Amino acid sequence: MDQFNRKRPHGGMTKNQAKKQKFNENILSEAPQAIDVIEYARSRAAELQLLDEATKKRKVSQAVNGLMSISMRRRAMSHNVKRMPRRVREMVTIKANKHKKPSRKHRRRPKNLLQEYIRRQKNKVWLETHIWHAKRFKMADKWGYKIPYQPTNKSARASYRATQHHCQMIDVSYLCCIEILGKEENILNGVSSLCNSQTGPTVAAKMYLEGTREGNCVLYKQNQYPQGPICPATFLWRPKSEREPLRQLWIWCHPSSFEELWKELEACMSVSEKCEVQDISVELSCSIEDMRKGRTLADIANSSVLNNNSKEDKMSTISEEGPKQEDRSKVPKETQDKTKKQKSKKHSSTEKASEEKFVKVINRKSQIGKVFMTSLKDRLVRHRFIGPESQRILAQTLGIADIMFNNKETSYWWKEYYEDKKHSLDFNQQREFWDGVAQCQSAAELSPHAVIGLTVRDPRVIRAMKRNENSDMASESMVVEGIEAVKLMVSQEVSNSPIWEEEIRKTVTSTKKSDFEINQLKSEHLVPGSELMLGEEESRIPVLVIQNPGTNPSAHSHSHYGNGWDLILPAGWSMAFWVASIYHGARAGGLRELQCLANEQQIEHFPEDYPDTSAGREEEARVKSEKEAEHSKRPPAKRPNFTKLDVANPFSWAWDQLVHCDKEDTSGFHVLRDRKDLNTLRKVVNISRGQKKKCLKSSESVERFAPYQDILSRHQKSLVFVKISVNSKGCPEEMGTISIPSKEDVRKMKADKYFVGPLRSQQPDPELEDKKEKKKKAKLLKKGVLNLQPQKTPENREVAKDNVDDGEREIIGYVKHGGFSLNNGHGAGKGFCSLAGLEKLSESLPDERNLVLIRNPRTLQYRFARLSL
Amino acid sequence: MSANFDGTSKSSSVESKEKSSKSFKELIDKEEYDLRKRLPRKLPKRKTDVYITRKTDFACQLERAQKLLDSENEVYVHGLGAAINRAINLALQIQTESQGLVEIAAHTSTVELVDDLEPQTDDLEPETQSRNNSAIHIKVYKINPVKVELKDATT
């Protein structure tokens, strides 16, 4: 009170006030006349500091936001940890010595950035185009690689359009290549035990041996056909040459089955050669300093081997062919020693860098008798071009190099290589052939799987033209010339390429001018934007171009969908060619686009559609756990009740149950890949509308079922890959069931045009009903009403069952993948049926042998669909 | 140029000529070879070209040609083999719908097609087989009455 009065301005005074004033004056006289500010503050410094600290310092980290729902927040949570729920308390408390993340500016310094990149590559491999992709793609961590999955700015439909009308480019460098070097018969003896001629032409096929075609086949475990498939592989022989008695074979496989295939190859080789496997892998260590120069692991491996080898290899080339083989076996061992020495030298010379700074690279090699196996994993780059435009883009990106030279003063690999008359003649043929090819409008105009070897210019030097209409319109007179060349088959000379030589590949990689150098040269160039003329200094890159014919035209599908080219490059050149193709108008895609393409084409895609391989099983297990997690995340009312829907396996494909329904033995199933058997099945199952009438006229049922018995006897537990197309609306979905329609269903379908399919009756879920009843009881008890209800429910159920016709429709297969097919304009999918099931299908409906019912796991509705093989 | 493609390539083409198409059919029936048709050679596509296919809806193709003709003076309709009927049908429909403002001029040609025979067993060589198929190229163009009148006035 007093204090208030003191502040009040003086006005007229009452008696009371006057009294009070007197009193106040007394107090005031007692008060100190001035305050010593410094002393005042000093005495309260401790308090102030406490206050300051309390406001500045957080006791609880800001990470709270993500950890808890908004409804769980409480006042002043950030100051008192105990207001947090106990489970998050530990995560949220700020520890005293927590390492602070350095600033972005610091992190983005080239030196630090590279170190970070190297750290991130420690347990997985990056593609050479990784950084380009990581900026624009969702990356998937798969099979030991970081693989671009899907572009963030493009939908699946846009990608489909790119494959249909333009050019889709996909980096598939993660595919692994195994090189086998040896005499032809030695290689064939070994490899032929892995493949079976019943599945189609094998590695030993005449048409592939020349090396002008890339072949593909499914590889099996040694002599286990039809059980134990490993993976589908594409393979390519090096064209024969008179000088080299040894032949080279490249087998390309998927990284998920690389290890398995490698071991199997070693085993089969050692059996055929009657020799132990000798592991002659070279282990290398590279300092991080080397990696800072912006090179990938593979480059370093290549170049460092090169440095060691170069002297010795020159020696070995001087020595004659006979002892060469022995030399080869010796070389790696020596290099191993040398690398060790070098490593120690490096240690002593440089300030004894800690061993952590060294990255291990393994140059995998093994020798079995006279056959050498080398892993070219990550040593070759493979780009896939899909679509009609790919032709134009490749023709523009790959400028044929000039290999003529006058003086031999400076040494380049191409001078050494093309000094040979034969090689330069080959080169001329290749150039003429490629000129012819470049005039084609589509890759599908050429012979399928043709291999063309080329030596091309540095793509960074050639500038992409701006696309306008004039450049699109090529003059018609030009076109006519090249026709003859293209129509013929590719000869061995055209397919040969220096890329097969390891030394040349390494030189090309190590002598690559860095982007910085090229840009420097460009900036010094007088006329900006014009082509750089580097003359002999320009790199010449050997490449292989492999045609991909796309789908085989048939009555149903659009023909040649998915045709294009594969481009194989030596390591280190991926980025240069990739960016150049992008400039020329290619659209980048990822793994999803590859899967989509396979789905549109309705062909198998590894590893998803190979359920009998170990990689396929792994993939299925992954899908299962993913789907289960997704399902269990939702509350019961917000997720489908699979008991009611009567779906036994909503998250996985029960192939085992399909194959042996009643029998007790549980040996594995396999997918039928026998070409002849599939052809006979095709004749039975694939009936188009025109053929149907013919079939009806000559309905020889005996003849029709004979093949089934025959095939069944040989492949008892086999699945058959089927293509599904839905008749009316609706799309098949993953894990959908394929079942045999009853006669009643078919009758209804024929009678009613709009009949899509029967409806399955809902199945009772005893668990749920028990729960409901318990709830009811609890409620009644609460109310005080005694439970005197008669049990009517079972009777009710029976009545309900009688109303809906619900013949169990036998399941003969499952849908592996399904959806709306943009190519066909209706729902389509692919799946597997058991062979026995197919037989039953054609027995029960002899007229409609490919008519099935499909039910997705989330519905009760069956839909009619047609199968084809 | 073709001299460079001697050797394996030419000999195979000679062989393929020796074997008549009938024998190939037998081989295919015996499941020794698989037939794969190559795409017919195309000329560079101009804006005014319409290639007719049997796999696309007819109405859709008709609309496309009609739309092109609205903006351009002429449209070339190409049909190959079994699509010839369709091409003719399409051109005629455009003409009838235009009420005499559009004329058509057709000419025919022969297109050489190449089939690949892919062996199904190890010991066979791949073959190619070339055959001829007929094609039609119909020029559908506007007769511009305005221009004709002007020309008449000048003469």
Side-chain angles (χ1 to χ4, degrees), chain A residues 819-852:
Chain A
F820 187 78
S821 163
L822 295 163
N823 212 356
N824 301 319
H826 54 73
K830 45 192 184 180
F832 289 93
C833 283
S834 68
L835 188 61
L838 276 181
E839 192 202 3
K840 272 182 203 163
L841 177 71
S842 56
E843 265 173 14
S844 64
L845 304 164
D847 303 337
E848 303 271 1
R849 272 165 283 157
N850 56 2
L851 188 73
V852 286

Side-chain angles (χ1 to χ4, degrees), chain A residues 588-641:
Chain A
L591 185 63
R592 182 192 64 177
E593 277 66 37
L594 270 185
Q595 290 165 350
C596 283
L597 183 78
N599 293 339
E600 290 288 349
Q601 289 178 318
Q602 293 193 316
I603 54 169
E604 294 114 309
H605 185 252
F606 191 79
E608 296 95 62
D609 302 330
Y610 286 79
D612 49 347
T613 62
S614 61
R617 278 190 291 271
E618 248 168 59
E619 183 70 18
E620 281 183 359
R622 189 188 63 77
V623 170
K624 187 185 178 188
S625 63
E626 230 170 61
K627 292 234 164 194
E628 269 175 350
E630 203 190 325
H631 182 79
S632 59
K633 254 187 206 171
R634 296 176 186 281
K638 300 283 185 294
R639 65 189 185 198
N641 185 341

Side-chain angles (χ1 to χ4, degrees), chain A residues 383-401:
Chain A
H383 295 168
R384 186 157 291 166
F385 294 77
I386 305 151
E389 281 276 275
S390 55
Q391 179 72 25
R392 180 187 63 80
I393 283 162
L394 266 190
Q396 287 175 352
T397 321
L398 306 181
I400 303 294

Side-chain angles (χ1 to χ4, degrees), chain A residues 423-441:
Chain A
H423 288 159
S424 58
L425 278 178
D426 286 358
F427 178 80
N428 284 340
Q429 283 198 29
Q430 287 167 6
R431 186 169 52 196
E432 273 168 26
F433 193 87
W434 184 248
D435 284 346
V437 169
Q439 284 164 11
C440 287
Q441 293 296 302

Side-chain angles (χ1 to χ4, degrees), chain A residues 28-43:
Chain A
L28 278 174
S29 62
E30 282 168 21
Q33 292 206 324
I35 295 172
D36 187 356
V37 181
I38 296 167
E39 203 176 301
Y40 184 83
R42 198 177 287 151
S43 61

